[in-house]
Each structure stands twice: as C-alpha cells, then as structure tokens.
Amino acid sequence: MTKFYTDSFEETMKLGERFAQKIEQGCTILFFGDLGAGKTTFIKGMAQGLGIESDAISSPSFQYLKIHQGRLNLYHFDLWRLENCEQFFAQGFDEFLQDPQGVSCLEWAEKINLIQLGPTIKISLQHERENRRIIEIQDEKAPTS
Ligand code: ADP
Ligand code: MG
C-alpha cells in the first residue's frame, strides 16, 4: 500500500499519469471514494499517460461505460447508478475487463463483486480538506514519490 497526498486537481492528474505509464496490460483498477474525492480526476491523468485526450474523460453518470483508445484501450466505468451486481454481468461488462490490450477503471467499484479477475489494483481516495486528497494505491508497482 502506498499513500500519496495531493493538494490540487493538477497533482492528482499528474499522479494518475505516472501511474498509467507503468500500468500492466489487462489490468483492472478499482476506485473507492465519495463523490468529489477525485476518482475521475485520477482517471483523466491516466488517460493522459495512455495518450488519450484527458478532456474526453468525464464522469459518465448516465452511462456505465465509456471506451477510449490510446496506447491501450481505456474502459472507464462509472457504476454509481448501477442497481445491482447482476446487472453488470447481464450487460456483459466483465468481457471488457478481460481485454489484454486494455485497462479498466471502475468508479464505485464497491457496487460489484468480481471474482477471479486478472491483475487488479485498488485505489482509495479521500477528501481530507478543501484541495487535499489522500490517495492510497494498493499495489507494489505504485509510482514512487
Ligand atoms: P469523483 O470522480 O471522485 O466524484 P472528481 O474527480 O470528478 O471526483 O472531482 C474532484 C473535484 O475536486 C474536482 O472538482 C476537482 O477540481 C476538485 N479537487 C480539489 N482538489 C483536488 C485534488 N487534490 N485532487 C483531485 N481533485 C481535486
Ligand atoms: Mg467520478
């Protein structure tokens, strides 16, 4: 587990960008944290690191999945409105998580219960105060400083 502190939107973006540069293909990243914690911001940074226009990343709250193509395919899920875990599988979303040329990012990952996933990293974000966020990356390959 590696703990980071960021003090601005830009710092969180930068952390996401560096994280994406080291990402393993086929990896799934589960994001935890309240609304406004910075999940989408971190994913915007990841997009940048994957050669995807970061402006293309938004919280698709009315849409569960957005697909972006860069150095790897980025599958950006926002499961906030998902009613239950079965719905995720009924839509065949788990197929995307298995794309060896892809990276999947799941906001509100607590909504689903995934078993037998490939490489998985958990990222928890916490709103500490105004612009300060605590970001915990549960993976030994997290970027250092
Ligand atoms: P989430 O996807 O978790 O709901 P967002 O990334 O969409 O969160 O929103 C985070 C909000 O907090 C943005 O409005 C952003 O400008 C603001 N913010 C302030 N400080 C930070 C920080 N250190 N990291 C990320 N976002 C921050
Ligand atoms: Mg979001």
Side-chain angles (χ1 to χ4, degrees), residues 44-103:
K44 271 180 184 279
M46 282 184 61
Q48 208 155 280
L50 293 171
I52 295 161
E53 179 52 61
S54 63
D55 286 347
I57 307 295
S58 60
S59 255
S61 50
F62 54 92
Q63 199 183 328
Y64 298 127
L65 168 65
K66 276 194 179 175
I67 301 176
H68 306 274
Q69 276 165 357
R71 183 166 64 75
L72 297 171
N73 298 319
L74 175 63
Y75 301 111
H76 178 197
F77 289 91
D78 188 321
L79 305 177
W80 174 240
R81 288 178 196 279
L82 192 78
E83 276 157 38
N84 51 51
C85 185
E86 288 70 39
Q87 203 184 346
F88 184 85
F89 294 100
Q91 305 251 8
F93 284 149
D94 51 318
E95 297 276 324
F96 293 100
L97 310 190
Q98 285 157 28
D99 177 1
Q101 307 298 330
V103 167

Side-chain angles (χ1 to χ4, degrees), residues 35 39-41 59 76 78 107-108:
L35 202 67
K39 302 179 294 297
T40 304
T41 304
S59 255
H76 178 197
D78 188 321
E107 295 193 45
W108 301 102

